[in-house]
Amino acid sequence: MDVKKFFSTKFNEVNIRNGPGINYFIIGKHLKKGLPLLVIGEFDNWKRIVNFLGVEGWVANSQISKKRFGITVVKRSEIKSFPKNNSKVLMVLGEKINFPIQKCNKEWCRIKYNNITGWVEKKNFWGVLEREVFN
């Protein structure tokens, strides 16, 4: 696999191992469903991942989902009604807030958090590639 791609944790407890197999040591755990993981490699039924903190390791394919999630990496991130800087602010998010991503254009993603649906600038969160667009 030569293209980096985002996935997310499928369960509330996902082991990170130091190699691609259950005989390798557990070097960490993701303790929340829906955390974004960047896949940087593959071997058999395992993906080499990096999380938003920069931790690298191996996760079994059965433990990850193709559902897209983001996590804020700045102290203040605004959810806007439209993907424009001058549109109405619907909510302000703090740091390390996790949310599902519905779709993205080049600079903004539509998300849902606490029954609020709106747009967040890509630069404010981790979970999508820089110019990635999807519906």
Side-chain angles (χ1 to χ4, degrees):
M1 184 167 136
D2 46 309
V3 178
K4 292 182 176 183
K5 191 170 181 181
F6 277 95
F7 288 80
S8 61
T9 52
K10 197 178 210 173
F11 305 105
N12 280 325
E13 186 173 326
V14 173
N15 293 332
I16 310 164
R17 295 182 182 268
N18 67 348
I22 58 171
N23 294 331
Y24 287 90
F25 288 112
I26 295 171
I27 57 170
K29 290 179 184 281
H30 291 105
L31 297 175
K32 187 169 187 189
K33 182 179 178 177
L35 289 175
L37 303 173
L38 179 59
V39 172
I40 57 172
E42 284 185 295
F43 182 79
D44 283 347
N45 293 320
W46 294 80
K47 299 238 186 314
R48 184 166 177 83
I49 59 94
V50 176
N51 69 17
F52 77 103
L53 297 171
V55 174
E56 276 188 46
W58 291 87
V59 175
N61 286 350
S62 62
Q63 303 297 298
I64 58 177
S65 167
K66 289 186 176 179
K67 291 180 183 170
R68 300 298 297 270
F69 284 82
I71 189 164
T72 53
V73 292
V74 295
K75 288 191 180 0
R76 180 185 161 84
S77 185
E78 297 175 339
I79 300 178
K80 305 266 191 164
S81 53
F82 296 100
K84 297 179 183 147
N85 280 316
N86 62 355
S87 67
K88 181 181 173 188
V89 175
L90 302 175
M91 180 183 252
V92 175
L93 302 176
E95 198 172 4
K96 295 183 183 167
I97 301 294
N98 188 221
F99 50 79
I101 302 169
Q102 296 176 336
K103 64 181 180 177
C104 292
N105 65 29
K106 286 183 180 170
E107 294 179 14
W108 296 78
C109 291
R110 185 179 159 110
I111 71 159
K112 186 170 185 173
Y113 182 76
N114 281 3
N115 295 321
I116 301 279
T117 300
W119 295 84
V120 176
E121 279 188 277
K122 282 184 178 178
K123 67 181 183 183
N124 294 336
F125 72 92
W126 195 84
V128 293
L129 299 173
E130 192 177 337
R131 304 302 277 173
E132 184 179 10
V133 174
F134 62 91
N135 288 314

Coordinates of all heavy atoms in Angstrom, one line a residue, residues 41-101:
G41 N 1.0 1.5 6.3 CA 1.6 0.3 5.7 C 0.6 -0.9 6.0 O -0.3 -0.8 6.8
E42 N 0.9 -2.0 5.3 CA 0.1 -3.2 5.5 C 0.9 -4.5 5.5 O 1.9 -4.5 4.8 CB -0.9 -3.4 4.4 CG -2.1 -2.4 4.4 CD -3.1 -2.7 3.3 OE1 -2.7 -2.5 2.1 OE2 -4.2 -3.1 3.6
F43 N 0.5 -5.5 6.2 CA 1.1 -6.8 6.2 C 0.1 -7.8 6.6 O -0.5 -7.7 7.7 CB 2.3 -6.9 7.1 CG 3.0 -8.2 7.0 CD1 3.9 -8.5 6.0 CD2 2.8 -9.2 8.0 CE1 4.5 -9.8 5.9 CE2 3.4 -10.4 8.0 CZ 4.3 -10.7 6.9
D44 N -0.3 -8.8 5.7 CA -1.3 -9.8 5.9 C -2.6 -9.1 6.4 O -3.1 -8.2 5.7 CB -0.8 -10.8 7.0 CG 0.1 -11.8 6.4 OD1 0.2 -11.9 5.1 OD2 0.7 -12.6 7.1
N45 N -3.1 -9.4 7.6 CA -4.3 -8.9 8.1 C -4.1 -7.7 9.1 O -4.9 -7.5 10.0 CB -5.2 -10.0 8.7 CG -5.7 -10.9 7.7 OD1 -6.1 -10.5 6.6 ND2 -5.7 -12.2 8.0
W46 N -3.0 -7.0 8.9 CA -2.6 -6.0 9.9 C -2.3 -4.7 9.1 O -1.9 -4.7 8.0 CB -1.3 -6.4 10.6 CG -1.6 -7.6 11.5 CD1 -1.7 -8.9 11.2 CD2 -1.9 -7.5 12.9 NE1 -2.0 -9.7 12.3 CE2 -2.2 -8.8 13.3 CE3 -2.0 -6.5 13.8 CZ2 -2.5 -9.2 14.7 CZ3 -2.3 -6.8 15.2 CH2 -2.5 -8.1 15.5
K47 N -2.6 -3.6 9.8 CA -2.3 -2.2 9.2 C -1.3 -1.5 10.2 O -1.4 -1.6 11.4 CB -3.5 -1.4 9.1 CG -4.6 -2.0 8.2 CD -4.9 -1.1 7.1 CE -6.0 -1.5 6.2 NZ -6.1 -2.9 5.7
R48 N -0.3 -0.9 9.6 CA 0.7 -0.1 10.4 C 0.0 1.3 10.4 O -0.3 1.9 9.4 CB 2.0 0.0 9.7 CG 3.0 0.7 10.5 CD 4.5 0.5 10.0 NE 5.4 1.3 10.7 CZ 6.0 0.9 11.9 NH1 5.6 -0.2 12.5 NH2 6.8 1.7 12.5
I49 N -0.2 1.8 11.6 CA -0.9 3.1 11.8 C -0.1 4.1 12.5 O 0.9 3.8 13.2 CB -2.2 2.8 12.5 CG1 -2.0 2.2 13.9 CG2 -3.2 1.9 11.7 CD1 -1.9 3.2 15.1
V50 N -0.5 5.3 12.4 CA -0.1 6.5 13.2 C -1.3 7.1 13.7 O -2.3 7.3 13.0 CB 0.7 7.5 12.4 CG1 1.1 8.7 13.2 CG2 1.9 6.9 11.7
N51 N -1.3 7.5 15.1 CA -2.5 8.2 15.6 C -2.2 9.7 15.7 O -1.1 10.1 15.3 CB -2.9 7.6 16.9 CG -2.0 7.8 18.1 OD1 -1.1 8.7 18.0 ND2 -2.1 7.1 19.1
F52 N -3.1 10.5 16.2 CA -3.0 11.9 16.2 C -1.9 12.4 17.1 O -1.4 13.5 16.9 CB -4.4 12.6 16.5 CG -4.7 12.6 18.0 CD1 -4.6 13.7 18.7 CD2 -5.2 11.4 18.5 CE1 -4.9 13.7 20.1 CE2 -5.6 11.4 19.9 CZ -5.4 12.5 20.6
L53 N -1.4 11.6 18.0 CA -0.3 11.9 18.9 C 1.0 11.6 18.2 O 2.1 11.8 18.8 CB -0.5 11.2 20.2 CG -1.7 11.6 21.0 CD1 -1.9 10.7 22.2 CD2 -1.7 13.1 21.4
G54 N 1.0 10.9 17.1 CA 2.3 10.5 16.4 C 2.7 9.1 16.8 O 3.8 8.7 16.4
V55 N 1.9 8.4 17.6 CA 2.3 7.0 18.0 C 2.1 6.1 16.8 O 1.1 6.1 16.2 CB 1.4 6.6 19.2 CG1 1.7 5.1 19.6 CG2 1.7 7.4 20.4
E56 N 3.1 5.3 16.6 CA 3.1 4.3 15.5 C 3.0 2.9 16.0 O 3.5 2.6 17.1 CB 4.4 4.4 14.6 CG 4.4 5.4 13.6 CD 5.6 5.3 12.7 OE1 5.9 4.2 12.2 OE2 6.1 6.4 12.4
G57 N 2.3 2.0 15.3 CA 2.2 0.6 15.7 C 1.4 -0.1 14.7 O 1.0 0.4 13.6
W58 N 1.0 -1.4 15.1 CA 0.3 -2.3 14.2 C -1.1 -2.6 14.9 O -1.2 -2.8 16.1 CB 1.0 -3.6 14.0 CG 2.3 -3.3 13.2 CD1 3.5 -3.0 13.6 CD2 2.4 -3.5 11.7 NE1 4.4 -2.9 12.6 CE2 3.7 -3.2 11.4 CE3 1.5 -3.8 10.7 CZ2 4.2 -3.2 10.1 CZ3 1.9 -3.9 9.4 CH2 3.2 -3.6 9.1
V59 N -2.1 -2.6 14.0 CA -3.5 -2.9 14.5 C -4.1 -3.9 13.5 O -3.9 -3.8 12.3 CB -4.4 -1.6 14.5 CG1 -5.8 -1.9 14.8 CG2 -3.8 -0.6 15.5
A60 N -4.8 -4.9 14.1 CA -5.5 -5.9 13.3 C -6.6 -5.3 12.4 O -7.3 -4.4 12.9 CB -6.0 -7.0 14.1
N61 N -6.7 -5.7 11.2 CA -7.8 -5.2 10.3 C -9.2 -5.3 11.0 O -10.1 -4.5 10.7 CB -7.8 -6.0 9.0 CG -6.7 -5.6 8.1 OD1 -5.9 -4.6 8.3 ND2 -6.5 -6.4 7.0
S62 N -9.4 -6.4 11.8 CA -10.7 -6.6 12.4 C -11.0 -5.5 13.5 O -12.2 -5.4 13.9 CB -10.8 -8.0 13.1 OG -9.8 -8.0 14.1
Q63 N -10.0 -4.7 13.9 CA -10.2 -3.7 14.9 C -10.4 -2.3 14.4 O -10.6 -1.4 15.1 CB -9.0 -3.7 15.8 CG -8.6 -5.0 16.4 CD -9.7 -5.5 17.4 OE1 -10.0 -4.9 18.4 NE2 -10.3 -6.6 17.0
I64 N -10.4 -2.2 13.0 CA -10.6 -0.8 12.5 C -11.7 -0.8 11.5 O -12.1 -1.8 10.9 CB -9.3 -0.3 11.8 CG1 -8.8 -1.2 10.7 CG2 -8.2 -0.1 12.9 CD1 -7.5 -0.7 10.0
S65 N -12.2 0.4 11.3 CA -13.4 0.7 10.4 C -13.1 1.7 9.3 O -12.2 2.5 9.5 CB -14.5 1.2 11.3 OG -15.6 1.7 10.5
K66 N -13.8 1.6 8.2 CA -13.6 2.6 7.2 C -14.4 3.9 7.5 O -14.3 4.9 6.7 CB -14.0 2.1 5.8 CG -13.1 1.0 5.3 CD -13.4 0.6 3.9 CE -12.4 -0.4 3.4 NZ -12.7 -0.9 2.1
K67 N -15.2 3.9 8.6 CA -15.9 5.1 8.9 C -14.9 6.2 9.3 O -13.9 6.0 9.9 CB -16.8 4.9 10.2 CG -18.0 4.0 9.8 CD -18.9 3.7 11.0 CE -20.0 2.7 10.7 NZ -20.7 2.3 11.9
R68 N -15.3 7.4 8.8 CA -14.3 8.6 9.0 C -14.6 9.4 10.2 O -15.8 9.8 10.4 CB -14.4 9.4 7.7 CG -14.0 8.7 6.5 CD -12.5 8.2 6.5 NE -11.5 9.2 6.6 CZ -11.0 9.8 5.5 NH1 -11.3 9.5 4.3 NH2 -10.1 10.8 5.7
F69 N -13.6 9.7 11.0 CA -13.7 10.5 12.2 C -12.6 11.5 12.2 O -11.5 11.3 11.6 CB -13.6 9.6 13.5 CG -14.9 8.9 13.7 CD1 -15.2 7.7 13.1 CD2 -15.8 9.3 14.7 CE1 -16.3 7.0 13.4 CE2 -17.0 8.6 14.9 CZ -17.2 7.4 14.3
G70 N -12.8 12.6 12.9 CA -11.7 13.6 13.1 C -11.6 13.8 14.6 O -12.4 13.5 15.4
I71 N -10.4 14.5 15.0 CA -10.2 14.9 16.4 C -9.5 16.3 16.3 O -8.6 16.5 15.6 CB -9.4 13.9 17.2 CG1 -9.4 14.2 18.6 CG2 -8.0 13.7 16.6 CD1 -8.9 13.1 19.5
T72 N -10.1 17.2 17.1 CA -9.5 18.6 17.1 C -8.1 18.6 17.7 O -7.8 17.9 18.6 CB -10.4 19.6 17.8 OG1 -10.7 19.1 19.1 CG2 -11.8 19.8 17.1
V73 N -7.3 19.4 17.0 CA -5.9 19.5 17.5 C -5.5 21.0 17.9 O -4.4 21.3 18.1 CB -4.9 19.0 16.4 CG1 -5.1 17.5 16.2 CG2 -5.1 19.7 15.1
V74 N -6.5 21.8 17.9 CA -6.3 23.2 18.4 C -7.2 23.5 19.6 O -8.2 22.8 19.8 CB -6.6 24.2 17.2 CG1 -5.6 24.1 16.1 CG2 -8.0 24.1 16.7
K75 N -6.9 24.5 20.3 CA -7.7 24.8 21.6 C -9.1 25.3 21.2 O -10.0 25.2 22.0 CB -7.0 25.9 22.4 CG -5.7 25.3 23.1 CD -5.2 26.3 24.1 CE -4.0 25.8 24.9 NZ -3.4 24.6 24.6
R76 N -9.3 25.9 20.1 CA -10.6 26.5 19.7 C -10.9 26.2 18.2 O -10.1 26.7 17.4 CB -10.6 28.0 20.0 CG -11.9 28.7 19.7 CD -11.8 30.2 19.8 NE -12.8 30.9 19.1 CZ -14.0 31.1 19.6 NH1 -14.4 30.7 20.7 NH2 -14.9 31.7 18.8
S77 N -12.0 25.6 18.0 CA -12.4 25.2 16.6 C -13.8 25.5 16.5 O -14.6 25.0 17.3 CB -12.0 23.8 16.3 OG -12.3 23.5 15.0
E78 N -14.2 26.3 15.5 CA -15.6 26.6 15.3 C -16.3 25.7 14.3 O -15.8 25.4 13.2 CB -15.7 28.1 14.8 CG -15.2 29.1 15.8 CD -15.1 30.5 15.3 OE1 -15.2 30.7 14.0 OE2 -15.1 31.4 16.1
I79 N -17.5 25.3 14.6 CA -18.4 24.6 13.7 C -19.3 25.7 13.1 O -20.0 26.5 13.8 CB -19.3 23.6 14.4 CG1 -18.5 22.5 15.1 CG2 -20.3 23.0 13.3 CD1 -19.4 21.5 15.8
K80 N -19.2 25.9 11.7 CA -19.9 26.9 11.0 C -21.1 26.4 10.3 O -21.1 25.2 9.9 CB -18.9 27.6 10.0 CG -17.7 28.1 10.6 CD -17.8 29.6 10.9 CE -16.4 30.2 11.3 NZ -16.5 31.6 11.3
S81 N -22.1 27.2 10.0 CA -23.2 26.8 9.2 C -23.0 26.5 7.8 O -23.6 25.6 7.2 CB -24.4 27.8 9.4 OG -23.9 29.1 9.0
F82 N -22.0 27.1 7.2 CA -21.5 26.9 5.8 C -20.0 26.9 5.8 O -19.4 27.4 6.7 CB -22.1 28.0 4.9 CG -23.6 28.0 4.8 CD1 -24.3 29.0 5.5 CD2 -24.2 27.1 4.0 CE1 -25.7 29.0 5.5 CE2 -25.6 27.2 3.9 CZ -26.3 28.1 4.7
P83 N -19.4 26.3 4.7 CA -18.0 26.2 4.6 C -17.3 27.5 4.2 O -16.7 27.6 3.2 CB -17.7 25.0 3.6 CG -18.9 25.0 2.8 CD -20.1 25.5 3.7
K84 N -17.6 28.5 5.0 CA -17.0 29.9 4.8 C -16.7 30.5 6.1 O -17.4 30.3 7.1 CB -18.1 30.8 4.1 CG -18.5 30.3 2.7 CD -19.5 31.2 2.2 CE -20.0 30.7 0.8 NZ -21.4 31.0 0.6
N85 N -15.6 31.2 6.1 CA -15.1 31.9 7.4 C -16.1 32.9 7.9 O -16.2 33.1 9.1 CB -13.8 32.6 7.2 CG -12.6 31.6 7.2 OD1 -12.6 30.7 8.1 ND2 -11.7 31.7 6.3
N86 N -16.9 33.6 7.0 CA -17.8 34.6 7.5 C -19.2 34.0 7.8 O -20.2 34.8 8.1 CB -17.9 35.7 6.5 CG -18.4 35.3 5.2 OD1 -18.6 34.1 4.9 ND2 -18.6 36.2 4.3
S87 N -19.4 32.7 7.8 CA -20.7 32.1 8.1 C -20.9 32.0 9.6 O -20.0 32.1 10.4 CB -21.0 30.8 7.4 OG -20.1 29.8 7.9
K88 N -22.2 31.8 10.0 CA -22.6 31.8 11.4 C -21.9 30.6 12.2 O -21.8 29.5 11.7 CB -24.1 31.6 11.5 CG -24.6 31.5 12.9 CD -26.2 31.3 12.9 CE -26.7 31.1 14.3 NZ -28.1 30.7 14.2
V89 N -21.4 31.0 13.4 CA -20.8 30.0 14.3 C -21.9 29.2 15.0 O -22.7 29.8 15.7 CB -19.8 30.6 15.3 CG1 -19.3 29.6 16.3 CG2 -18.7 31.3 14.6
L90 N -22.0 27.9 14.9 CA -23.0 27.1 15.5 C -22.5 26.6 16.9 O -23.3 26.4 17.8 CB -23.4 25.9 14.6 CG -23.9 26.2 13.2 CD1 -24.1 25.0 12.4 CD2 -25.2 27.0 13.3
M91 N -21.2 26.3 17.0 CA -20.7 25.8 18.2 C -19.2 25.9 18.2 O -18.6 26.0 17.1 CB -21.0 24.3 18.3 CG -20.5 23.6 19.6 SD -20.9 21.8 19.5 CE -22.2 21.8 20.8
V92 N -18.6 26.0 19.4 CA -17.1 26.1 19.5 C -16.6 24.8 20.2 O -17.2 24.4 21.2 CB -16.6 27.3 20.3 CG1 -15.1 27.3 20.5 CG2 -17.1 28.6 19.6
L93 N -15.6 24.2 19.6 CA -15.1 22.9 20.1 C -13.7 23.2 20.7 O -13.0 24.0 20.2 CB -14.9 21.9 19.0 CG -16.1 21.5 18.2 CD1 -15.7 20.5 17.1 CD2 -17.1 20.8 19.1
G94 N -13.4 22.5 21.8 CA -12.1 22.6 22.4 C -11.2 21.6 21.8 O -11.4 21.0 20.8
E95 N -10.0 21.4 22.4 CA -9.0 20.4 21.9 C -9.4 19.0 22.2 O -10.0 18.7 23.2 CB -7.7 20.8 22.6 CG -6.5 20.3 21.8 CD -5.2 20.8 22.4 OE1 -5.2 21.5 23.4 OE2 -4.1 20.5 21.8
K96 N -9.0 18.1 21.3 CA -9.2 16.6 21.5 C -10.6 16.2 21.5 O -11.0 15.3 22.2 CB -8.4 16.1 22.7 CG -6.9 16.2 22.6 CD -6.2 15.6 23.7 CE -4.7 15.9 23.6 NZ -3.9 15.6 24.8
I97 N -11.5 16.9 20.8 CA -12.9 16.6 20.6 C -13.0 15.7 19.4 O -12.5 16.0 18.3 CB -13.8 17.8 20.4 CG1 -13.6 18.7 21.6 CG2 -15.2 17.4 20.2 CD1 -14.1 18.2 22.9
N98 N -13.6 14.5 19.5 CA -13.7 13.5 18.5 C -15.1 13.6 17.9 O -16.1 13.7 18.6 CB -13.5 12.2 19.3 CG -13.4 11.0 18.4 OD1 -14.0 9.9 18.7 ND2 -12.7 11.0 17.3
F99 N -15.2 13.4 16.5 CA -16.5 13.6 15.8 C -16.5 12.8 14.5 O -15.4 12.6 13.9 CB -16.8 15.0 15.6 CG -15.7 15.8 14.9 CD1 -15.4 15.7 13.6 CD2 -14.8 16.6 15.7 CE1 -14.4 16.4 13.0 CE2 -13.8 17.3 15.1 CZ -13.5 17.1 13.7
P100 N -17.7 12.4 14.1 CA -17.8 11.7 12.8 C -17.7 12.8 11.6 O -18.2 13.9 11.8 CB -19.1 11.0 12.8 CG -19.9 11.6 13.9 CD -18.9 12.3 14.8
I101 N -17.1 12.4 10.5 CA -17.0 13.3 9.4 C -18.0 12.8 8.3 O -18.0 11.6 8.0 CB -15.6 13.3 8.8 CG1 -14.6 13.7 9.8 CG2 -15.5 14.2 7.5 CD1 -13.1 13.5 9.4

